Amino acid sequence: MDAQSRGRAEEIDPADQWVLNPRTGNYELRLADSAAQARPKVTAPRRSPSAPSAPTAPSPGVPKPRRGDVPPGGRRGGRSRKGGGGGGRRKKALIITGGTLAFLLVGGSVAAYLYYDHLNGNLNVTDVAGAGTGGFKKDQAINILVIGTDKRTGAGNEAYGDKDSVGHADTTILFHVSKDRTNATALSIPRDLITNIPACPTKQPDGSTKTIAPSKGTRFNTSLGQEGRDAGCTMRTVKELTGVEVDHFMMADFNAVKTLSTAVGGVPVCLDKAVNDEGGSQLKLDAGEHRLSGEQALAFVRTRHGFGNNSDLDRIRIQQQFLGSMMREMKSKETLTSPKKFLSLAEAATKSLSVDSGIGSIGKLTDLAGELKNIDMKNITFTTLPVDDNPAEPVGKKATVVVNKGLADPLLQMIRGDVSLTEVEKKEQAAKEAADADAKAKQDALLQGNRAAAGDVRVTVYNGGGPQGAASTTLNWLQGSKGVSKAGQGGNAPAKVGATQLEYAPNQADQARALADIMGLPATALKMGTADASAKTPMKLTLGPDFTQPGAALSAPVPQQLPEDVQRSQADKAICAK
């Protein structure tokens, strides 16, 4: 970006606005008058008297700013650990992308160094060791739990419901990003769902660990806050409920909706009818189109009595529509060309977020944003875990729900199997499916050839998503019962697989056929490489989530289509609230 084009959208160049204040000895971010009213002053770290007259931009070999330094604003850096939660929703890609682009705007300058440290200081980081993977890899799907709590922190928020709430999981969305980064699924989990909460180790203020006892047949929202449970408890609950391994969490409170909607310049919404909620939210809007920010935006996503049948399930749909609109607004040209909005979003996002230590820095969030940035809005699907009214409650007094397994099972299988829910994605894959069918026919033909003797089969067995101990159990079975004496165990696979697969070289086809017969593997599980292997190189058998036990047929393949009754919507489509 050259000197004439930087910040041209609003004549603001944050990279050039850091000025030394001689009275305080601090560097301060001073913007043009037109922007100063919309953005608070940001103060850079104080220089020592012996420091050079101006800081220099770090070279590639210089470490990142120390988390213990005093960042802009005078706050102590490092990982601030707030005991409470935070409440937002699926601000996932939105939040990260907003903060990331703001940082990139001033990248490579002195201001970047200072502002980077400042944003790091805004983040609240919670250690949930043992919950989640703690990382993400480029060749694997990413699963992030976005938690919006009902903690009433902040001015004016005490008016929303229980002002003394400890911060339960009021809005929870499991955000699944596909392995190939072409699509994503945002699965809402109803807060009033009756489920089981597993035992949960939590870090205490004194550094010790306290394990909170499991709870059976209770509301999902009590997986956070109740009895001191932290976000790690919610992550464990979601894993047990869905079978999906959660990598990270992001959590925010009511203020996130207000500050983010304001930073982006308001979120467009459409109403089919006028709303006058005299209950908790006090939302009053005419039918038609509106641009909501601040208190009005929060009231919109909090209202229970304005739409549908006044249930939490209808509120989930409204929240999904609002978040889709916010995402579209953040990716709009008006936002992408506005330095003012970039910096406002960076401030609002980082101040709103509580995250786990695996993504507890701007650098790590930037890396994560890089994984998400190319997902087209048309390939992001919002859906809700299918539920039914709780049959244990009397008619007319239904307050909780239970999972509808008939609808939920195929949905969860598709998420675990990394199958896109978007129709656009499926149409684009039609040609690929035809090619796969041709490949399957060729694989079937391969199974018709000669078979090696069991004692000549060389294979290493890995567990890539099967039951715990599946690799060792299968190894013992192959060696003890089937005469595959040259089998070995590889332990856990480097990456999980969507289904069991046997990888082999062209000159190992006779061994692959023999092992397929022994294991009962279908032709689709056989993956032939392109180059021959040496005489003592083993094949690679990776057991996936479709594997149950040695000798048993693999479970049914992952469904490719959702049942019609599963609620869904696409992030690129504006829908009027009803």
Side-chain angles (χ1 to χ4, degrees):
M1 186 176 295
D2 60 36
Q4 295 185 11
S5 61
R6 286 182 303 188
R8 182 61 61 192
E10 294 186 20
E11 299 300 323
I12 301 170
D13 182 8
D16 293 336
Q17 300 301 318
W18 290 92
V19 181
L20 178 65
N21 186 332
R23 292 179 299 173
T24 64
N26 293 332
Y27 276 86
E28 299 174 354
L29 179 59
R30 294 181 178 175
L31 303 177
D33 291 342
S34 60
Q37 300 301 318
R39 191 181 306 111
K41 180 178 71 176
V42 180
T43 305
R46 181 184 298 273
R47 293 187 297 109
S48 66
S50 59
S53 58
T56 57
S59 67
V62 177
K64 296 178 180 178
R66 294 174 297 166
R67 297 299 298 273
D69 292 344
V70 179
R75 284 184 50 192
R76 171 64 55 184
R79 296 180 177 179
S80 169
R81 304 185 185 276
K82 292 187 178 179
R89 352 219 154 246
R90 200 218 124 179
K91 277 167 247 68
K92 159 67 304 24
L94 334 175
I95 290 177
I96 299 174
T97 303
T100 300
L101 293 177
F103 171 64
L104 293 179
L105 181 69
V106 294
S109 66
V110 172
Y113 182 92
L114 300 174
Y115 199 63
Y116 181 103
D117 194 48
H118 167 66
L119 293 179
N120 267 332
N122 284 348
L123 288 170
N124 298 308
V125 182
T126 302
D127 185 3
V128 289
T133 65
F136 56 88
K137 296 181 179 179
K138 293 185 179 299
D139 60 347
Q140 294 184 33
I142 302 173
N143 297 298
I144 296 181
L145 196 64
V146 182
I147 308 171
T149 79
D150 59 2
K151 193 173 182 64
R152 270 68 174 168
T153 53
N157 293 331
E158 65 278 357
Y160 292 95
D162 181 8
K163 64 182 178 62
D164 297 319
S165 172
V166 295
H168 295 117
D170 192 54
T171 300
T172 303
I173 297 177
L174 177 61
F175 189 60
H176 170 85
V177 181
S178 68
K179 178 179 178 179
D180 62 7
R181 307 297 189 259
T182 64
N183 65 88
T185 299
L187 175 71
S188 293
I189 301 175
R191 68 174 193 171
D192 295 324
L193 174 69
I194 296 300
T195 190
N196 297 326
I197 301 174
C200 177
T202 60
K203 286 292 182 72
Q204 302 301 300
D206 62 0
S208 63
T209 299
K210 174 185 176 182
T211 299
I212 301 173
S215 180
K216 293 187 176 182
T218 188
R219 271 183 167 90
F220 172 83
N221 70 337
T222 60
S223 64
L224 179 69
Q226 198 80 1
E227 300 179 32
R229 294 188 179 103
D230 61 15
C233 303
T234 307
M235 294 171 75
R236 290 180 171 89
T237 303
V238 169
K239 179 182 177 181
E240 183 169 297
L241 175 65
T242 65
V244 176
E245 182 82 53
V246 183
D247 300 304
H248 301 286
F249 83 87
M250 292 182 175
M251 185 165 61
D253 61 17
F254 282 0
N255 287 322
V257 179
K258 295 195 288 189
T259 57
L260 284 169
S261 61
T262 300
V264 80
V267 176
V269 300
C270 173
L271 279 67
D272 263 3
K273 63 178 182 178
V275 173
N276 185 9
D277 180 8
E278 296 180 351
S281 75
Q282 299 294 308
L283 179 67
K284 294 182 181 180
L285 291 173
D286 295 330
E289 297 181 355
H290 301 269
R291 183 173 285 271
L292 307 182
S293 62
E295 289 290 347
Q296 219 177 17
L298 179 59
F300 182 81
V301 299
R302 290 295 305 160
T303 183
R304 269 175 171 259
H305 307 290
F307 308 102
N309 61 4
N310 300 335
S311 72
D312 187 56
L313 298 179
D314 285 308
R315 182 168 65 170
I316 286 175
R317 291 188 180 92
I318 296 302
Q319 291 170 348
Q320 291 174 350
Q321 293 167 17
F322 181 86
L323 291 170
S325 182
M326 181 182 280
M327 292 172 65
R328 294 192 297 273
E329 195 67 18
M330 286 186 170
K331 297 191 76 170
S332 69
K333 181 178 179 181
E334 288 74 16
T335 301
L336 294 176
T337 58
S338 171
K340 176 181 176 181
K341 286 186 179 180
F342 273 164
L343 295 178
S344 295
L345 278 170
E347 289 293 330
T350 53
K351 287 180 179 177
S352 300
L353 277 177
S354 292
V355 299
D356 62 275
S357 55
I359 51 175
S361 71
I362 298 302
K364 292 176 180 177
L365 288 174
T366 300
D367 291 341
L368 182 56
E371 298 293 312
L372 310 176
K373 65 181 180 180
N374 293 326
I375 301 177
D376 196 304
M377 296 287 290
K378 67 185 179 183
N379 287 328
I380 299 176
T381 303
F382 287 100
T383 187
T384 303
L385 185 69
V387 295
D388 292 323
D389 287 337
N390 188 350
E393 295 174 337
V395 177
K397 295 184 178 180
K398 301 290 187 181
T400 59
V401 294
V402 295
V403 173
N404 179 326
K405 288 186 64 63
L407 297 179
D409 284 353
L411 169 61
L412 295 176
Q413 287 179 49
M414 291 178 74
I415 293 175
R416 292 193 297 265
D418 200 30
V419 177
S420 172
L421 302 189
T422 68
E423 293 303 320
V424 174
E425 184 87 1
K426 294 183 186 307
K427 290 176 182 177
E428 293 173 349
Q429 289 182 347
K432 180 179 181 300
E433 290 174 359
D436 288 345
D438 182 60
K440 180 181 181 300
K442 292 179 180 178
Q443 288 283 51
D444 286 337
L446 283 173
L447 289 178
Q448 304 307 312
N450 296 328
R451 286 156 174 74
D456 293 331
V457 173
R458 295 180 182 273
V459 63
T460 302
V461 184
Y462 296 86
N463 191 346
Q468 185 174 2
S472 59
T473 301
T474 300
L475 176 64
N476 293 335
W477 180 78
L478 287 172
Q479 292 179 335
S481 302
K482 299 300 177 180
V484 187
S485 57
K486 295 178 181 177
Q489 182 186 345
N492 290 329
K496 291 188 176 182
V497 294
T500 297
Q501 62 183 34
L502 174 62
E503 299 172 76
Y504 65 100
N507 62 335
Q508 295 173 322
D510 57 339
Q511 296 183 49
R513 296 184 194 107
L515 189 62
D517 285 349
I518 294 170
M519 292 287 299
L521 301 177
T524 52
L526 275 60
K527 311 294 181 184
M528 186 174 70
T530 57
D532 285 347
S534 62
K536 294 186 177 181
T537 299
M539 299 181 294
K540 180 179 178 182
L541 175 64
T542 305
L543 306 175
D546 56 345
F547 178 85
T548 54
Q549 62 183 17
L554 299 180
S555 59
V558 175
Q560 299 299 304
Q561 293 287 343
L562 275 179
E564 287 297 322
D565 291 337
V566 175
Q567 174 264 331
R568 80 203 81 170
S569 61
Q570 308 309 133
D572 66 320
K573 293 181 173 62
I575 303 173
C576 287
K578 299 180 179 180

